[in-house]
Every structure is written in C-alpha cells, then in structure tokens.
Amino acid sequence: MAVAPPVTRAIPALPFASPEQLDPRLEELLAGASAQLSRWLASATSRPPLPQLALIPEVSPQATGLEPMRLLADLQLVMDGAYNPNHPGALAHLDPPPLLASIAADMVCAGLNNNLLAEELSPSLSRLERSLCTWLAEAVGLPDGSGGVPASGGSLSNLMALVTARVSRGLQHCSEAVVLASADAHVSLGKALMVMGLPPEALRRVAVDANGRLDVAALDEQLASCQQQGIPVLSVVATAGTTVRGAVDPLPQIAALCRRYGIWLHVDGAIGAVYALAGDHALRVEGLGLADSLTVNPQKLLGITKTSSLLLLAQPELLHRAFATGLPYMESSWGGGHGGECGLQGTRPAEILKLWLGLRQLGLSGIQAIVDGAIERRRTLARLLAPAAGLQLRQGCLHLLAMTPHAQSAVAADHWSLTTRQQLLEAQLMLSRPVYQGRHHLKAVLGNPHTSETQLERLASIVTASLGECS
Ligand SMILES: *Cc1c(COP(=O)(O)O)cnc(C)c1O
C-alpha cells in the first residue's frame, strides 16, 4: 500500500541570516536602520537636547512576527523620544556624541555575537581585548606588565577594584575594613561597599580643599589614626576628575602616603584618566601611573559608545586571584586566563571592538583635539561668566564647570537652578542641576565637540540675566 505523502507545512523562514548567501532581509534591515540612524544624527539640531515625552510603540510581540518596514517605523518612535547627545546644546552630563567608528563597531560586535567569557567563544577578540588593555595601561603610565579588563561601566570597574584590593590584602573576612576617599568621590564607592557586605561607615570621607581636591594632610591624619586603632584600610580611593567640578586629587602625594602606609591605591579616573593620552594634558592627571588600580571610562569624553569602561591594574594577575572560580564547561585558556575568570561579569560582549576602532579612527592627534576643544570651551565659558557678580564658579583642571549664586540661601539657590535650567532648556541648552556642598548648582560639561562659542555666549547671557532677576 502506498504511504501517504507527508503533509507539507510552509515553515516560515526565521529571521536569522542565511549561512550560505547574502541574505536580502538582513541587507534591507541594516540599510534601513542605518539610513534612519544617519538621519537621526543629522537632524539633531531640529530637536531639543531633551525631547518631550514621546509615544512609545507597542511593546509585546504579536502572534506573528513583523516586517522590516513596521520594525523600522516602531524604532523611529523610540528614537524620536531619545536623549539627543549630538545636539550642540547637550551639555548636562558626561554623555558625548558617539564616535563614527564606534557606531560601526557596535553594529559589527552585535553581528559577530562573540562572548568574552571564554577564549573559545571569542578567539580573536579575547586577544584584542588583552592587548588593548595592556597598551592602554602602559599608555596612561602604569608600569610594564600592567593590564586589565573591560567592564560594563565605571561603577562596576570601581567595585571590581575594591574586591581585588580586599583579596590582595587578605581582608575578605574582615568586617572592620574601611575605605578612605574624598568627600567629593563618586557615589559608586558607597554602592560597592554595600555589595561587598560592609556597613556605610566603612566609607570614610576625607575633607577636600577649596578647589575640591582631597586634603592630603587630612588623609595622613586619618591613616595614622586607623593604624593606631588597628583598623585595616582596604584601599584609599583618589579621584582623577570629580563628578561635579572635575577636580583631580593630588595623586603623587596620595601615592606616596599609600606607599608609606602599605595601602592599596585605587584611582577613580572615570572622567580624567583619558587625559593621560592627550599630549601635554597628561600633566592634569599627573601620577595616574602610581595607582595599584585605575578606572577609565572612554565613554565619558572620547565618544566611545556605551558602555566603555576598563579596570586597569599594575598587577593584572590579581584579577584572576580575586575572581577565578574555574570554568568546568570550557576548554582551558591558551592565553592569560579567560575573560570570565578575570572579573565579575560572565558573558560579556566585545565592547573592546568599539574602543579599539574608535581610538584607531581618532589617532593620538584626534584624542588630543577632543581634549583641547573641551578645555578651550571650559575656559571660554569661565571667561564669559567671570563678570557675573554673585556667581560662584567651581572648576578644576578638566572640562567641567559648576556654578551657584553664592550670596543666596540654599532654598533660593534651588529655585534659581530650577528656573534657570528651564530658561536654558527653552534656548536649547541643557545643563544638569547637581546638589553639591548642600546647595544646588548648575553644571556644564564641555565635552561636546559640536558646542560652539555661540552656544556658550547664549548660555552665559541667560545665566547672567538670571542673577539679576533673583537679587
Ligand atoms: C561616572 C562616574 C563613575 C561611574 O561610571 P558609570 O559608567 O556611570 O558606572 C565613577 N566615578 C566617577 C568619578 C564618575 O564620574
């Protein structure tokens, strides 16, 4: 008897690129998305830096999958409501426009879909990552043999640094250990200690001087007092670029103290460490290379697309000591250890690709030009604001400038910052409104290469006029 032919059911082709030939669906989607993104970047000045709340498209998947045209249309709705870093008036935060090569590398990274967890999942990329970390560590002044690992943001780099410091000092089981950092150090340190199971008091704040730099004499006193009382110090954290005013702690003096007391020095260079790559500007962060560990965030000034952060160490082998668990389901490493054994993260994308390609596109002259421009804009703004009577400017030696009307009460400063920020937003200028030393400030981050003197003049005139209104 004849067997009935199998029922043929049309199997919908799943949206994965053909492994045998160019897949027209992929080409159509990438070309469409790329054109749409290019238009979005090219029309940045037609939208405010901070868009009004926009519609978001339907979120749940429908019974059947959608066509590229529909996907792109939905994507456009999200793009319309997105923060607009390519606008010349986007001056609020440490979120610059994206570098061209970084955008392309991010797309390729997604397409390669490699995993930095283990070498067999990312053979070339694991090697590229290790080599670039080594180059970067030495380029910012760490000694021969230094290196590190990328992390998804500076908060994670800081956490991994403190965990590594604790292991290297054998303080894993000590609940009395403390960390000393300046009053202006970043909030991620408190978060790190919390995750590490230490109480809030474990973060001891050291006073800053009038320029927002850690007071070395006060640090010396606190270290001596810890020593006398037998309190173990897990690490001193110095900041190269504080978040509100861009101050750089006196790194050489702090490093000398740490050496004298035998204490780990972590430098949080999330903002300032890239200055070490920019010719003479390296002097602004002198002493970076004296750190035991260093956080670097190329995402914050250089335009490497998010996230791009690295933890660099003078002795990178300590990472393995702090984080290795063994990876029983992987072939053993043929190089310096699997990525997943050298940090907190397991599966990790090849974020190194956009850093590498971005730095190669810029060249050292491009890095220097970014920093030159940022410093020049901060100086210009400071000069334009100097005649504004009653305005206190807070700046360090980097590209940040915060301000507050100093004769007013904290309540009045809060009101001033709100209304002035609103007036600035109406003029397509976005500043942030941090609370610093108990009062509201307006803060400008001058890292946006599109910002011109015209924007800075408008900014200064609005701020100057606002002071008149308040007094
Ligand atoms: C931004 C910042 C961080 C945290 O970096 P994320 O990438 O946002 O996690 C840490 N330290 C300083 C000084 C910073 O400015």
Side-chain angles (χ1 to χ4, degrees):
M1 238 170 59
V3 179
V7 182
T8 52
R9 193 189 306 146
I11 300 171
L14 285 170
F16 293 95
S18 162
E20 286 160 352
Q21 59 198 19
L22 277 180
D23 193 320
R25 297 167 307 171
L26 174 68
E27 293 188 297
E28 182 190 353
L29 198 50
L30 285 188
S34 157
Q36 203 162 302
L37 178 62
S38 302
R39 280 195 301 272
W40 186 80
L41 289 164
S43 57
T45 53
S46 70
R47 296 180 307 276
L50 182 62
Q52 303 296 308
L53 280 184
L55 289 176
I56 62 160
E58 206 179 330
V59 293
S60 56
Q62 300 189 345
T64 55
L66 301 177
E67 291 306 310
M69 292 304 280
R70 175 66 196 281
L71 296 177
L72 292 173
D74 283 358
L75 201 51
Q76 187 64 51
L77 287 178
V78 181
M79 292 165 75
D80 290 343
Y83 173 67
N84 187 8
N86 216 34
H87 192 290
L91 298 166
H93 296 287
L94 294 140
D95 291 72
L99 209 57
L100 299 185
S102 257
I103 301 174
D106 234 345
M107 184 193 76
V108 172
C109 171
L112 297 178
N113 207 20
N114 275 214
N115 188 344
L116 274 290
L117 170 67
E119 288 163 359
E120 66 188 89
L121 291 170
S122 52
S124 56
L125 290 161
S126 283
R127 279 175 44 204
L128 182 74
E129 180 174 282
R130 210 165 297 132
S131 303
L132 189 62
C133 286
T134 301
W135 175 80
L136 191 62
E138 292 177 7
V140 299
L142 288 168
D144 285 355
S146 54
V149 69
S152 201
S155 303
L156 197 50
S157 295
N158 282 344
L159 169 61
M160 295 196 307
L162 294 178
V163 170
T164 307
R166 177 158 77 171
V167 171
S168 90
R169 293 300 191 261
L171 293 171
Q172 298 94 302
H173 308 292
C174 172
S175 53
E176 270 81 59
V178 298
V179 168
L180 302 182
S182 95
D184 287 3
H186 193 255
V187 291
S188 55
L189 300 179
K191 195 193 270 183
L193 296 189
M194 185 168 75
V195 173
M196 291 164 75
L198 293 168
E201 312 79 70
L203 182 56
R204 301 217 172 167
R205 298 294 195 164
V206 182
V208 294
D209 66 16
N211 298 311
R213 308 170 80 214
L214 181 143
D215 178 336
V216 179
L219 176 64
D220 194 0
E221 269 171 38
Q222 290 206 32
L223 286 171
S225 133
C226 286
Q227 196 176 48
Q228 271 161 17
Q229 299 173 57
I231 298 171
V233 178
L234 194 159
S235 174
V236 165
V237 179
T239 307
T242 56
T243 310
V244 174
R245 58 196 292 181
V248 177
D249 290 342
L251 303 176
Q253 291 94 313
I254 295 172
L257 273 186
C258 287
R259 214 168 301 127
R260 178 141 66 80
Y261 285 91
I263 286 170
W264 184 281
L265 173 59
H266 175 62
V267 175
D268 181 357
I271 299 176
V274 296
Y275 277 69
L277 305 174
D280 289 349
H281 294 293
L283 287 171
R284 299 173 189 273
V285 291
E286 196 183 2
L288 272 189
L290 303 169
D292 292 293
S293 58
L294 171 67
T295 291
V296 187
N297 267 21
Q299 68 192 18
K300 283 199 166 175
L301 175 61
L302 299 183
I304 309 300
T305 51
K306 295 175 191 59
T307 50
S308 183
S309 175
L310 305 102
L311 174 63
L312 304 176
L313 296 99
Q315 293 177 273
E317 60 281 4
L318 293 176
L319 287 172
H320 199 263
R321 238 174 86 194
F323 296 107
T325 54
L327 281 177
Y329 27 78
M330 294 289 169
E331 291 303 310
S332 27
S333 159
W334 56 75
H338 289 307
E341 295 268 85
C342 297
L344 269 176
Q345 289 173 268
T347 290
R348 207 156 43 76
E351 294 185 331
I352 203 69
L353 208 55
K354 62 203 181 190
L355 175 59
W356 167 68
L357 213 63
L359 294 179
R360 297 273 292 172
Q361 182 177 44
L362 283 172
L364 294 173
S365 64
I367 296 172
Q368 169 135 17
I370 288 178
V371 176
D372 281 344
I375 291 290
E376 191 51 42
R377 286 186 293 276
R378 193 256 299 160
R379 286 196 180 130
T380 302
L381 183 58
R383 176 171 50 74
L384 292 167
L385 288 170
L391 189 67
Q392 181 174 21
L393 299 185
R394 315 269 208 174
Q395 45 183 331
C397 60
L398 306 185
H399 59 287
L400 285 72
L401 194 161
M403 60 197 104
T404 190
H406 59 68
Q408 295 178 16
S409 68
V411 172
D414 180 5
H415 179 73
W416 167 83
S417 67
L418 256 181
T419 52
T420 309
R421 175 170 141 116
Q422 192 50 41
Q423 287 163 5
L424 289 166
L425 280 173
E426 282 157 20
Q428 311 273 296
L429 295 161
M430 181 177 172
L431 268 63
S432 57
R433 214 165 61 81
V435 175
Y436 178 68
Q437 296 187 346
R439 47 194 294 136
H440 280 87
H441 287 61
L442 284 176
K443 173 176 112 175
V445 179
L446 286 315
N448 185 339
H450 299 314
T451 306
S452 68
E453 194 144 344
T454 320
Q455 270 98 30
L456 299 180
E457 280 163 2
R458 202 183 322 147
L459 196 171
S461 81
I462 291 171
V463 168
T464 305
S466 76
L467 296 166
E469 287 162 22
C470 282
S471 57

